Amino acid sequence: MGESLTGFRTERPLPAPGEQRSALAEQRGAEPRRAAGVPERRGSIGTQRDGRPGPAEGHEAVMLLDRARAEVDPVLRAALDSLPGPMRRIALYHFGWEQADGTPAEGGSGKAIRPALVLAAAAALGGPEARLGAVRAAAAVELVHNFTLLHDDVMDRDATRRHRPTAWTVFGDADAILGGDALQALALRLLATDPHPAARAAAARLADCVVELCAGQHADTALERCDPGEVTLEEVLAMAEAKTGALLGSACAIGGLYAGAGDADVAALDAFGREAGLAFQLIDDVIGIWGDPHRTGKPVGADLAARKKSLPVVAAFTSGTPAAAELADLYARPCEKEDLDHIALTVERAGGRDWAQGQAADRMARAMQQLARAVPDPEAAGGLLALAEFVTRRSS
């Protein structure tokens, strides 16, 4: 394996979708493959402004996400309609189904990645009947995801999400936090009232996941108070696994539970989701710095303006290059909008972008190994693989 000019090991680009399917068949019992070669810097997948996959997307992923949204949305809407008026208004606005004044809206409610993972995992191990039985659990996972988004937006002071103002900017901090609390309660109620025999185990797993999510968010805010030189890649990767990988892992594991899978298969599905989740976060952090705001729905350079210690930034800080020292100096200064392009270029010169994209390829290789353990048949694993390809091959 070669060394880049920045001192980081360069990594192979993410495999093309067809290559990932053949690689999955080879992964049974194999060690994770390291990537080699400088990865592409341009995402191969786009999304529409409503958050749904664009025409460049793999057809299977489009079908899975659309189907998951069609199956889960009625359960979500029924759950939200059960909320008291003020909480319902906040939740419906956040999901994009109402305007701030309560009139109907046409906005998208997200990509439905996590509920699609629940349903795909159930189908992979239990077939169509298991998938149908897991719809309530998939809705619960989506409610937990949106609970975290409402709280994260308040803590991060993000002003836009899904191309519209965030809930806290419209209703205030307190109402947005309470709206998030209500979504978490709805998620647990969905599982508590689900007659499926796996519902109790799923509720316990989802509750454990929420605790891990909170610990990850706490670590994130604590790291923001540290000087750049005090933060290690290991700390940031652990934080990212808790914040992002944990819920994707739980989604896959809950799908396995609803399919009646054994402990070993459920654990492998959880590991698959966690590795894919880390790949997702790595790409998300790249998009947070270099993404197109017309696609992302967020201001350009928002992460840099907030001086977030995202994975590419920490990789750049720890590269030991002259650009790393320059970046530390830039991060120590007050934020000026005109400096954002220069900061992004400095992160890139220090190797942060290449490292993050290479790590995403490596995490996907590990994810495929775990998926092969849980679902040895590549055809049965196809839905989960298509979704993993989606989350790691996107530009917004």
Side-chain angles (χ1 to χ4, degrees), residues 65-90:
L65 292 165
D66 283 349
R67 184 180 176 188
R69 182 56 69 201
E71 291 171 336
V72 169
D73 274 2
V75 181
L76 290 173
R77 284 181 176 271
L80 299 187
D81 284 344
S82 73
L83 291 172
M87 295 298 96
R88 182 171 64 250
R89 181 182 172 196
I90 296 163

Side-chain angles (χ1 to χ4, degrees), residues 255-276:
L257 288 172
Y258 272 69
D263 291 346
D265 287 343
V266 170
L269 285 171
D270 183 86
F272 161 74
R274 284 174 180 269
E275 294 291 358

Side-chain angles (χ1 to χ4, degrees), residues 323-338:
E326 181 182 354
L327 180 63
D329 181 60
L330 289 168
Y331 251 54
R333 301 178 189 174
C335 176
E336 299 291 344
K337 187 175 181 180
E338 55 269 22

Side-chain angles (χ1 to χ4, degrees), residues 25-100:
E26 300 168 3
Q27 284 295 320
R28 299 175 210 174
E31 291 300 314
R33 294 182 299 176
R34 299 294 297 179
V38 178
E40 282 185 89
R41 290 181 179 168
R42 184 172 300 161
S44 60
I45 281 180
T47 54
Q48 301 174 26
R49 291 184 64 85
D50 63 359
R52 295 174 63 252
E57 199 79 12
H59 181 63
E60 187 172 3
V62 174
M63 291 180 60
L64 288 168
L65 292 165
D66 283 349
R67 184 180 176 188
R69 182 56 69 201
E71 291 171 336
V72 169
D73 274 2
V75 181
L76 290 173
R77 284 181 176 271
L80 299 187
D81 284 344
S82 73
L83 291 172
M87 295 298 96
R88 182 171 64 250
R89 181 182 172 196
I90 296 163
L92 288 170
Y93 174 83
H94 169 75
F95 272 88
W97 292 329
E98 284 189 1
Q99 305 289 2

